C-alpha cells in the first residue's frame, strides 16, 4: 500500500476533514476514504465505479487518455509482437519475465494439466445441444470445485498455485468441448506435444475421420488473440472475481462468476454482437443508417465494438487486432471480405462523425477480433468463450494477488437508499 504524503480536505457545512491522498507509481492520485464513514458518518456515491479504486494492484496499468496498456510494466504491443501467451501468463502470475528454464517448467506444468476429469464429460452431455457455449462454460467451470477438491483450500498457497495452473490449462479444453457438444461432434482430447493455441485449434476443428493440421500462422494469430485479452485490470468480470473471492469462495466458483459477467454484450459478449452487427449492416451503403441509429437517444442500438470506459483516445489492442485481421485474411487468401470492408468503412465514417469524436468513442479490441475468428472457422457463439479462455490468467492473477493482500476483506458496497421509510404492516383485508 502506498504511503500518504498529502491530504485532501472535505468540507461539509462548517466542518472540515482531512483525507489522506495516496500516490500510485504512475496514474492519478487516490483519495483514501476508508475511514470516512467511521469519522464523518457519510458514504460516497459512485454507481459503475467511475471514480473509485476498489483495490491496489501491481499487475496491469492502463492510461485511457494515451491509449497505454502495460502488463507488469511491459507495453501490450511489445508483448503481442515479441512474446507469446504462456510467457505473458507467467509474467501476469509471477510479476517478471521468466528465464528459459522457468518458462520451460511453467509450460510443462500447464500442459500436464490440460485433461479434464473423465467424469466431467457427463456434465456436457446434460446440456441441451443448442446451449450457448458460454452457458456450458459457466456450469462446467463452477463444477470443477466438485472434481478438484485438492485445490479448493484458499488458505494453502500450494493449492492456490495448483488451482491457477489447472484453470489456465483446462479452460481451452472446456471451451473446445463446449463447442464440440454445441455442433454435435465428438470431443477431442488435448495433445500435449502442441503449443497452447495449436492444441486449442485442434481440439475445436479436428474430427475422428479427418485430423486437423494446424497452420502455424493461424496458431500464431490465435495466440495473439489470447495475449491481447489476457488481462485488463479491474474490469467488470475481474471485479466480479475479486468480489466473489472476497467471501472466501473457492477459485473455481470465483472464475465461474467471472465468466458469467464476461458474457454480457457490454463486456466480453461484444465480439459476438459486433460481428452480428457488421453482418446485419451488410454493405457499406447501409452504414449511415446504423450511425444515425447509434446516435439516436430513443433507439437502444449502439455501435458494438465501439467505446470503452477507460480508453478515450484509442484502444491499443484494437490497433494490433486490426493489423492481425488484415494479415490473417491475406494469408487465408480471403480477398474482398465484405465484413472487413464494412468494418473499415464503419470505423472511418464513425471517426469522422462529431458525435463519436465528442464522446471519445473509438473501436475497441472487439471490433476486429470477430473477423479473425470467423476467418479461422469459429461460429460467433465461440467468440466470447475464446475471450474467457484468454482472460482466465488475468482473473487468476488478480485473485491470487487479492488473497496475498493483508488488507483483503469482504467486499460490501453501501447504498443511497431512496425507498420508503419505516411504516406499519397492513392486514390483507384492509389494503
Ligand atoms: N455507440 C453509440 N453511443 C455510445 C456507444 C456506442 N458504442 N458507447 C457509448 N456511447 C455513448 C453513450 O450513449 C453515452 O452518451 P450520453 O453521454 O449522451 O448519454 C456516452 O457515449 C458515454 O457512454 P456510457 O455508456 O456512459 O459509457 P460507459 O463507459 O459506461 O460504457 C461501454 C462503455 C464499453 C459499455 C460502451 O461504450 C458500450 O456499450 N460499447 C458497446 C459495447 C462494446 O463494444 N463493449 C466492449 C468493450 S471492450 C471489451 C471489454 O471490455 O469486454
Amino acid at each position: 500500500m502506498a504511503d500518504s504524503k498529502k491530504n485532501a480536505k472535505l468540507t461539509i457545512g462548517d466542518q472540515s476533514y482531512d483525507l489522506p491522498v495516496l500516490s500510485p507509481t504512475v496514474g492519478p492520485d487516490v483519495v483514501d476514504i476508508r475511514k470516512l464513514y467511521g469519522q464523518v458518518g457519510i458514504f460516497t456515491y459512485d454507481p459503475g465505479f467511475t471514480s473509485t479504486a476498489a483495490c491496489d494492484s501491481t499487475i496491469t496499468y492502463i492510461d485511457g487518455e494515451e491509449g497505454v496498456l502495460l502488463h507488469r510494466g511491459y507495453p501490450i504491443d511489445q508483448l503481442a509482437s515479441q512474446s507469446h501467451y504462456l510467457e505473458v501468463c507467467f509474467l501476469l502470475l509471477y510479476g517478471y519475465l521468466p528465464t528459459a528454464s522457468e518458462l520451460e517448467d511453467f509450460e510443462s506444468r500447464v500442459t500436464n494439466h490440460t485433461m479434464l476429469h473423465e467424469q466431467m464429460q457427463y456434465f456436457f452431455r446434460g446440456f441441451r445441444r443448442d446451449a450457448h457455449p458460454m452457458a456450458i462454460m459457466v456450469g462446467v467451470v463452477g463444477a470443477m470445485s466438485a472434481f478438484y477438491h485438492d485445490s479448493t483450500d484458499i488458505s494453502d498457497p500450494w493449492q492456490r498455485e495448483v488451482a491457477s495452473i489447472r484453470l489456465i490449462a483446462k479452460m481451452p479444453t472446456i471451451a473446445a468441448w463446449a463447442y464440440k457438444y454445441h455442433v454435435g461432434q465428438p470431443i477431442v482430447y488435448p495433445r500435449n506435444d502442441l503449443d497452447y493455441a495449436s492444441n486449442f485449434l485442434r481440439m475445436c476443428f479436428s474430427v475422428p475421420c479427418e485430423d486437423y493440421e494446424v497452420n502455424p500462422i493461424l496458431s500464431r494469430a490465435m495466440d495473439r488473440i489470447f495475449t491481447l485479452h489476457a488481462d485488463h485490470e479491474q474490469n467488470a468480470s475481474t471485479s466480479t472475481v475479486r468480489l466473489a473471492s472476497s467471501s472466501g469462495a473457492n477459485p473455481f466458483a470465483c472464475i465461474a462468476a467471472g465468466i458469467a459477467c464476461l458474457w454480457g454484450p457490454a463486456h466480453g459478449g461484444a465480439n459476438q454482437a459486433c460481428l452480428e452487427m457488421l453482418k446485419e449492416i451488410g454493405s457499406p451503403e447501409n452504414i449511415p443508417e446504423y450511425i444515425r441509429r447509434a446516435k439516436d437517444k430513443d433507439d437502444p442500438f449502439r455501435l458494438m465494438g465501439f467505446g470503452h470506459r477507460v480508453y478515450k483516445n484509442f484502444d491499443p489492442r484494437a490497433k494490433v487486432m486490426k493489423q492481425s485481421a488484415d494479415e490473417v485474411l491475406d494469408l487465408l487468401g480471403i480477398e474482398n471480405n465484405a465484413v472487413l470492408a464494412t468494418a473499415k468503412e464503419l470505423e472511418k465514417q464513425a471517426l469522422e462523425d462529431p458525435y463519436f469524436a465528442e464522446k471519445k468513442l473509438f473501436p475497441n479490441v472487439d471490433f476486429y477480433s470477430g473477423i479473425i475468428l470467423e476467418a479461422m472457422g469459429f461460429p460467433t457463439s465461440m467468440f466470447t468463450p475464446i475471450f474467457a479462455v484468454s482472460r482466465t490468467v488475468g482473473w487468476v492473477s488478480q485473485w491470487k494477488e487479492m488473497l496475498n493482500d493483508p488488507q483483503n476483506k469482504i467486499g460490501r458496497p453501501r447504498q443511497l437508499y431512496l425507498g420508503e421509510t419505516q411504516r406499519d404492516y397492513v392486514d390483507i383485508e384492509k389494503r
Side-chain angles (χ1 to χ4, degrees):
M1 169 56 72
D3 288 335
S4 167
K5 295 199 176 70
K6 35 187 171 174
N7 282 327
K9 206 168 268 309
L10 172 70
T11 306
I12 302 173
D14 54 4
Q15 292 277 355
S16 280
Y17 307 91
D18 281 331
L19 298 168
V21 175
L22 308 174
S23 294
T25 44
V26 55
D29 283 350
V30 168
V31 181
D32 181 352
I33 55 162
R34 280 173 295 173
K35 298 200 173 119
L36 185 67
Y37 180 62
Q39 287 175 354
V40 187
I42 61 167
F43 298 141
T44 56
Y45 181 60
D46 184 19
F49 300 101
T50 50
S51 305
T52 297
C55 62
D56 53 75
S57 179
T58 61
I59 301 175
T60 292
Y61 171 72
I62 301 174
D63 181 334
E65 298 301 325
E66 297 298 323
V68 170
L69 169 58
L70 309 176
H71 291 320
R72 304 285 191 184
Y74 297 99
I76 189 65
D77 51 327
Q78 289 182 22
L79 294 173
S81 60
Q82 293 169 49
S83 181
H84 60 91
Y85 183 66
L86 280 186
E87 187 178 59
V88 172
C89 288
F90 185 102
L91 175 69
L92 288 167
L93 279 168
Y94 307 112
Y96 63 96
L97 287 171
T99 63
S101 66
E102 282 172 327
L103 183 60
E104 195 184 330
D105 170 65
F106 178 69
E107 290 183 338
S108 113
R109 282 194 289 141
V110 171
T111 38
N112 278 318
H113 278 287
T114 50
M115 283 193 43
L116 296 183
H117 191 291
E118 194 63 8
Q119 206 72 8
M120 288 185 81
Q121 275 193 44
Y122 297 105
F123 268 82
F124 288 83
R125 290 191 202 159
F127 286 96
R128 278 172 56 135
R129 283 280 177 195
D130 59 358
H132 194 288
M134 280 299 274
I136 301 181
M137 286 188 80
V138 173
V140 172
V141 173
M144 284 174 79
S145 351
F147 287 88
Y148 302 104
H149 299 289
D150 57 344
S151 52
T152 52
D153 177 0
I154 58 161
S155 64
D156 177 350
W158 175 244
Q159 293 204 28
R160 298 207 291 261
E161 177 66 17
V162 175
S164 308
I165 299 290
R166 277 186 170 143
L167 280 157
I168 294 164
K170 293 183 199 305
M171 204 61 82
T173 315
I174 293 172
W177 286 15
Y179 169 60
K180 283 300 198 191
Y181 186 77
H182 182 61
V183 293
Q185 291 179 0
I187 55 161
V188 175
Y189 288 96
R191 262 210 6 220
N192 288 352
D193 58 326
L194 295 176
D195 63 71
Y196 195 84
S198 304
N199 178 45
F200 176 63
L201 287 170
R202 189 182 160 276
M203 284 193 291
C204 288
F205 296 126
S206 168
V207 283
C209 52
E210 203 174 316
D211 202 11
Y212 175 80
E213 233 176 85
V214 185
N215 178 335
I217 291 149
L218 286 191
S219 105
R220 177 75 191 120
M222 187 78 250
D223 189 88
R224 192 177 289 168
I225 288 179
F226 288 152
T227 302
L228 289 174
H229 288 90
D231 189 48
H232 215 224
E233 52 118 307
Q234 309 311 321
N235 57 84
S237 57
T238 302
S239 299
T240 301
V241 170
R242 279 186 179 256
L243 195 56
S245 160
S246 76
S247 72
N250 76 67
F252 307 110
C254 297
I255 302 301
I259 296 173
C261 177
L262 185 77
W263 195 358
H267 192 9
N271 50 14
Q272 172 170 353
C274 180
L275 197 84
E276 285 165 359
M277 175 196 74
L278 292 171
K279 287 187 169 169
E280 192 186 300
I281 294 174
S283 67
E285 68 266 19
N286 299 326
I287 289 172
E289 171 59 10
Y290 283 84
I291 290 193
R292 187 198 59 72
R293 286 187 57 199
K295 296 192 294 187
D296 181 355
K297 285 284 151 241
D298 298 325
D299 188 331
F301 174 76
R302 282 186 166 199
L303 279 193
M304 299 314 287
F306 249 78
H308 198 274
R309 168 61 62 79
V310 183
Y311 295 120
K312 298 299 172 199
N313 194 345
F314 67 92
D315 178 341
R317 303 166 303 169
K319 278 196 162 178
V320 185
M321 204 64 94
K322 183 178 182 182
Q323 191 192 341
S324 210
D326 277 328
E327 280 168 20
V328 169
L329 266 55
D330 203 32
L331 286 161
L332 292 174
I334 303 174
E335 285 167 17
N336 307 322
N337 180 274
V339 184
L340 184 60
T342 306
K344 284 188 174 172
E345 185 56 27
L346 176 60
E347 177 183 3
K348 183 169 167 286
Q349 290 190 25
L351 293 183
E352 284 166 359
D353 191 300
Y355 172 94
F356 293 91
E358 275 158 24
K359 295 189 188 304
K360 301 189 171 179
L361 301 170
F362 297 85
N364 58 50
V365 68
D366 289 327
F367 194 67
Y368 286 103
S369 64
I371 294 170
I372 307 177
L373 292 172
E374 189 180 60
M376 286 175 167
F378 287 106
T380 49
S381 58
M382 274 305 282
F383 295 0
T384 317
I386 288 169
F387 193 156
V389 171
S390 328
R391 185 53 58 85
T392 297
V393 67
W395 293 328
V396 165
S397 306
Q398 304 264 353
W399 167 78
K400 281 181 85 182
E401 178 177 69
M402 178 178 166
L403 292 178
N404 281 326
D405 184 350
Q407 301 186 88
N408 175 24
K409 51 163 74 178
I410 188 164
R412 179 41 171 106
R414 305 306 296 256
Q415 63 173 7
L416 168 64
Y417 177 70
L418 297 174
E420 299 287 348
T421 53
Q422 185 171 329
R423 49 184 171 167
D424 289 328
Y425 179 81
V426 180
D427 285 335
I428 196 157
E429 62 279 3
K430 293 194 183 139
R431 286 174 218 162

